[in-house]
Amino acid sequence: MVEKTISRRELLGASTFAGAAAVGVLSAPPVLAQAPTVIKMQTSWPASDIWMDFARQYIERVEKMSGGRIKFELLPAGAVVGAFQVLDAVNDGVIDAAHTVPVYWYGKHKAASLFGTGPVFGGSATTMLGWFHQGGGKDLYRELTQDIMGLNVYGFYGFPMPAQPFGWFKSPVASAAEVNGLKYRTVGLAADLMQNMGMSVAQLPGGEIVPAMERGVIDAFEFNNPSSDLRFGSQDVAKNYILSSYHQASESFEFLFNRDVFDDLPDDLKAILEYGVEAASTSNTALAMDHYSSDLQKLQVEHGVTVHRTPREILDAQLKAWDQIIPTLEADAFMKRVLDSQRAWVERVVFYELMNSADLALAYEHYFPGKLKL
C-alpha cells in the first residue's frame, strides 16, 4: 500500500462536492417547463396586406423579449370577426387582442376618431403620437374607453402613419366642385368631412374596397398607403393616384388587449406587451418608408399610374369643412377637452417643428432636380 498525503484543500473540495451531490439527490424537485401564454390576436387587415407584416414585427419582438413565455396566434380580418368588430371581440373575450385603428369603432363614439383621424390643426402623425404619449392623450383615451364607455380593454398606440392619400380617381380632380357628388370610400370623421364637401360616403373595410369600385358602388376611394393599395389591386380600377390630404393626416395603430387577459400576466410580461409597441413603432416606420416608396414607383412604372398631389383649392376646402365640423364635435364636453388638449399641444410643438425643420423640398430639388412637380 502506498500512502498519499491529502491536502486540506483537496479534502474540503471533495467533501463539499459529495455533500452537494447528496443534497441534489435528496432534495432537487422535478423541473417542469412552463407552457407559454398564447395570445389570440386578430387584425383588421386582409391576410395579404402589408399591415399584417407590421403586426408580425410586433409579435416577433414580444416573443423574443419574453424568452418564449408569450406566443401569439395571429389572424387576419374575418378569421373570427369582421374588420370593424375587433373592439367588441376583445372586450367580450372572444379574442385576446387586436391590431387595428380606433377609427374602426368610431360608430360607438365619435371621439374614437380624435385618436386617429381628427382635425389636423397642423400636426403630423409623429406630432400626434407624441401628444398621445406626452401631451395627455393617453389619459384621455383611458377615460374614453374605460370610464365613459366601460370597455374591458387596454389600448396602446404605435407607428405614426404618413398622411393618407386623397385617393384613387378615374380622372384627375382639380377643384372642390369636381369632387362634389362623387361616391367615395373613407372612414371615421373623414366621412363627415367628405360629406360636408358634397360627396356620398361609404365606410368599407379594406378588403371590400376594390370590389365596390368594380361594381360602381363607389367612384373613388382612399385606404392608406401605396403598398396596401397595390396589394388590393387599386391600380386595376383607377389610374390617378392623388397624394396629400387633410382628411386623415395623422393616425397610428391601436394595439388592443382584453383587460382580464392582460391583468393576469406578471408585471414583466405586461411591460413587454406595452413597450413592445414602441419597439415595433420604429421597425414599422422603417418598413413603411422602404415599401411605400418602392411600391409607389412600381405603381408608376409597372402599372401606368399617374401620381398627383391634391390641388391647393381642395386642401383649402377640406380645412373649411373641418371648420364647420369642429363646433359640432365640441358640443360634446369630452370631445371638446380632447380637441382643446390637441390644439394646445400642436400650437406649441408644431411651432418648434416648423421653425426648426430644414426645407426638405429645397434640398431634394437641389440634388434631384426636376423630379418634384409641386
Side-chain angles (χ1 to χ4, degrees):
M1 179 181 294
V2 178
E3 289 188 6
K4 180 181 179 182
T5 303
I6 300 175
S7 71
R8 182 172 180 273
R9 177 177 294 178
E10 290 173 325
L11 180 62
L12 287 174
S15 62
T16 301
F17 175 80
V23 170
V25 170
L26 295 174
S27 63
V31 177
L32 300 177
Q34 184 177 357
T37 297
V38 179
I39 295 177
K40 181 184 289 187
M41 171 182 274
Q42 186 190 300
T43 77
S44 291
W45 330 123
S48 61
D49 192 74
I50 191 172
W51 285 0
M52 287 294 288
D53 297 333
F54 290 174
R56 290 185 190 98
Q57 286 189 319
Y58 171 70
I59 66 175
E60 287 167 0
R61 281 153 179 75
V62 167
E63 288 179 354
K64 287 181 179 178
M65 288 188 289
S66 72
R69 292 161 64 203
I70 293 178
K71 295 290 184 183
F72 280 85
E73 180 184 356
L74 183 66
L75 303 168
V80 180
V81 296
F84 288 178
Q85 280 75 55
V86 293
L87 172 68
D88 286 335
V90 174
N91 180 67
D92 296 339
V94 176
I95 55 178
D96 304 318
H99 185 266
T100 187
V101 284
V103 70
Y104 278 8
W105 50 273
Y106 148 94
K108 295 183 176 297
H109 199 298
K110 278 197 172 186
S113 204
L114 298 183
F115 294 90
T117 59
V120 63
F121 297 132
S124 69
T126 300
T127 308
M128 300 317 294
L129 185 58
W131 166 78
F132 184 84
H133 286 289
Q134 289 291 128
K138 186 182 296 186
D139 290 337
L140 289 164
Y141 174 84
R142 185 209 57 76
E143 181 179 348
L144 172 64
T145 54
Q146 297 184 32
D147 297 345
I148 296 175
M149 299 178 66
L151 297 174
N152 192 41
V153 302
Y154 294 127
F156 308 113
Y157 278 59
F159 177 51
M161 300 179 189
Q164 298 182 28
F166 191 35
W168 292 85
F169 294 78
K170 294 179 179 178
S171 301
V173 291
S175 67
E178 292 182 55
V179 303
N180 187 25
L182 290 180
K183 294 176 290 185
Y184 182 83
R185 181 272 175 195
T186 191
V187 291
L189 283 175
D192 296 8
L193 181 78
M194 299 310 185
Q195 286 170 344
N196 188 283
M197 295 178 65
M199 293 183 177
S200 173
V201 175
Q203 301 202 44
L204 302 171
E208 298 179 19
I209 296 173
V210 168
M213 189 81 162
E214 291 174 326
R215 298 194 309 270
V217 175
I218 54 177
D219 303 313
F221 63 90
E222 62 80 34
F223 177 70
N224 186 277
N225 66 81
S227 297
S228 294
D229 292 349
L230 175 65
R231 297 187 190 193
F232 284 156
S234 305
Q235 67 279 4
D236 297 330
V237 293
K239 293 297 185 185
N240 291 279
Y241 195 25
I242 305 179
L243 304 185
S244 172
S245 181
Y246 288 139
H247 74 286
Q248 289 179 288
S250 65
E251 189 170 16
S252 295
F253 285 137
E254 179 182 39
F255 296 73
L256 287 171
F257 291 89
N258 177 274
R259 192 163 61 186
D260 296 330
V261 170
F262 190 90
D263 285 344
D264 281 345
L265 295 171
D267 287 345
D268 64 327
L269 294 186
K270 291 178 188 176
I272 288 170
L273 286 179
E274 179 176 358
Y275 298 121
V277 173
E278 296 179 10
S281 187
T282 299
S283 61
N284 287 174
T285 298
L287 187 65
M289 292 301 97
D290 181 18
H291 283 260
Y292 290 5
S293 59
S294 60
D295 287 335
L296 183 62
Q297 284 187 341
K298 188 178 296 184
L299 286 167
Q300 295 172 278
V301 174
E302 298 181 17
H303 298 281
V305 171
T306 302
V307 175
H308 314 263
R309 276 181 63 85
T310 303
R312 175 67 177 267
E313 180 185 329
I314 294 177
L315 294 174
D316 286 340
Q318 288 180 347
L319 291 176
K320 290 173 183 175
W322 276 124
D323 288 344
Q324 295 177 10
I325 292 169
I326 289 170
T328 68
L329 303 177
E330 291 180 326
D332 178 276
F334 174 76
M335 293 182 76
K336 186 175 189 312
R337 285 200 290 120
V338 174
L339 289 165
D340 285 344
S341 175
Q342 290 178 337
R343 272 188 293 249
W345 175 264
V346 169
E347 183 177 12
R348 173 168 60 86
V349 173
V350 175
F351 176 81
Y352 162 74
E353 289 181 317
L354 293 177
M355 290 295 290
N356 186 64
S357 63
D359 187 335
L360 300 181
L362 178 64
Y364 188 90
E365 179 65 22
H366 177 79
Y367 289 104
F368 310 102
K371 292 186 69 72
L372 290 178
K373 297 177 182 179
L374 303 178

